[in-house]
Every structure is written in C-alpha cells, then in structure tokens.
Amino acid sequence: MMTSTMISLLLVLLLACKIRAFQTSTTHLVQKRSYYHSPSKIDWRLKDVQSSVTSTILPKDEPIDFTHLMVMDVVLFQRQNTKNPTSIELGSVQENGNIAPLSTWTLESAYTSAINDMMEFVVDEEDLFPGMTSEEITVLRVLDSDVVGYGSRQVGNNNPHGEESEIIYYVDRAVVEGVYSIEGDDDVLKIDVVVNSNLEHLW
C-alpha cells in the first residue's frame, strides 16, 4: 500500500504532467494522444447525464504503445487471450508501467455534476502486482481527463492517521455503460465491470 503522502505527490505530479502535456503540443507523446482522440478517427459522443449510453468507434489495428502511457492513466483494454471477444475492461497504469484492472464495490454513482455522473473504482490488492504487460493485453484507448477523476481513501481499520491509502479512480458512467466497436468491425463491445463487495469500506 502507498502512504497518503505518496498518493498526494502522485496526484500533484499527474496534474502537472497533464497540464504540461496540454501545453507542449509539439512532443511526440501529445501528438500520439491527439491522434487517438481526433474526431476524424474516433466518434466519441458523450451525451448529457440523463442518457448514459455512449457510442464509440475505436481505431482498427492501432493499439496504444505502453511507452506512451503515464502513471495513473485510465485506459480501456482487452485481454489478448480472452474467451469473450466482445468484452473490454477498465484499467490504470501503475508505477511499474504495467496495467492493473479496476474494480468497484457498487454500481451507484459516487457523485454527479451538470456534465458528469461519476462511478468509483479502485485496484483490487490481488490484481495490483505485477499487473499486465503489453504481451497480455491490448490498450484500445486512454480516457480523456473530462471523463476521469482521482481521489484517495484510507486503507485498513488500524490506520487512525491515514498513513496508508489507495487511489480512487472516478470514471463517467457514460464511459462505463457505453457501447464500443472496432473501426470496420460489426462486433459490439461492452465494458466488463468487476463488482466486489469486499472492496467497500464502511468506516
């Protein structure tokens, strides 16, 4: 588990990296990201909060290179040896560069706003190490900052001062419940949400 200080530093560093990425559009990383987010390549239609269905076309044969990912990026990925070719998953980039799947304890909203209906996710401790590599999964998309948020929560009962905490990932319901397809493919893909009631903290 990471300490609350480490999580706070990660959140600050992530914000700084995101700001720098937007400001430095000439870098290869930003050019790569803008390519994947380009409206000409992806039909990304986020509807208002009253309608949770999003239709997204993902580029064909253009998986995202792991070297272009940043720690705490939230991604859509597919396992390479999956038995269900219409299933995709949510994951986050960990400090070792690998990707861990995200899980939740509830399908209820964590919070809503005029433009977002956010659900909350964490990395299950059992999925944390070592995570999954590019040999095991294909990253289909890095989620934009307008549909992702971050927080933290205390870990463990015997942790009165919050020395240990974990990252909470907030993802817009329109993304989680969206309908996806690969460019030129008729298959309909949906996110397989892992719900584990044991991840809920009641303190």
Side-chain angles (χ1 to χ4, degrees), residues 2-106:
M2 292 187 285
T3 66
S4 56
T5 301
M6 291 171 63
I7 291 224
S8 297
L9 287 173
L10 272 175
L11 290 171
V12 170
L13 287 172
L14 175 71
L15 180 59
C17 288
K18 296 290 186 186
I19 292 173
R20 187 179 303 114
F22 280 115
Q23 291 175 339
T24 316
S25 60
T26 57
T27 64
H28 176 70
L29 173 60
V30 175
Q31 289 173 346
K32 191 73 172 181
R33 290 258 174 98
S34 63
Y35 171 78
Y36 282 112
H37 296 171
S38 169
S40 65
K41 277 290 181 182
I42 295 180
D43 185 10
W44 181 247
R45 298 189 295 274
L46 274 181
K47 300 183 179 179
D48 58 34
V49 71
Q50 284 77 24
S51 177
S52 61
V53 177
T54 300
S55 176
T56 305
I57 300 175
L58 302 167
K60 183 178 182 180
D61 299 327
E62 294 172 353
I64 297 174
D65 194 322
F66 269 48
T67 61
H68 298 148
L69 299 174
M70 294 189 294
V71 175
M72 292 174 60
D73 271 348
V74 179
V75 303
L76 298 181
F77 72 89
Q78 188 171 50
R79 298 175 191 260
Q80 294 187 7
N81 294 322
T82 180
K83 295 180 180 179
N84 183 2
T86 62
S87 173
I88 56 179
E89 299 176 58
L90 285 169
S92 66
V93 182
Q94 303 302 301
E95 292 180 80
N96 62 1
N98 292 341
I99 291 174
L102 295 179
S103 304
T104 187
W105 56 96
T106 179

Side-chain angles (χ1 to χ4, degrees), residues 84-158:
N84 183 2
T86 62
S87 173
I88 56 179
E89 299 176 58
L90 285 169
S92 66
V93 182
Q94 303 302 301
E95 292 180 80
N96 62 1
N98 292 341
I99 291 174
L102 295 179
S103 304
T104 187
W105 56 96
T106 179
L107 297 178
E108 296 181 1
S109 301
Y111 67 90
T112 61
S113 69
I115 59 174
N116 292 111
D117 178 2
M118 306 300 272
M119 301 173 65
E120 53 193 338
F121 296 84
V122 294
V123 175
D124 190 326
E125 198 173 51
E126 296 183 1
D127 297 325
L128 187 57
F129 297 107
M132 294 173 287
T133 69
S134 58
E135 296 180 356
E136 301 170 276
I137 65 172
T138 299
V139 175
L140 301 173
R141 182 176 175 85
V142 180
L143 296 185
D144 295 323
S145 58
D146 58 347
V147 293
V148 172
Y150 301 91
S152 64
R153 69 175 185 176
Q154 181 177 315
V155 175
N157 287 311
N158 189 23

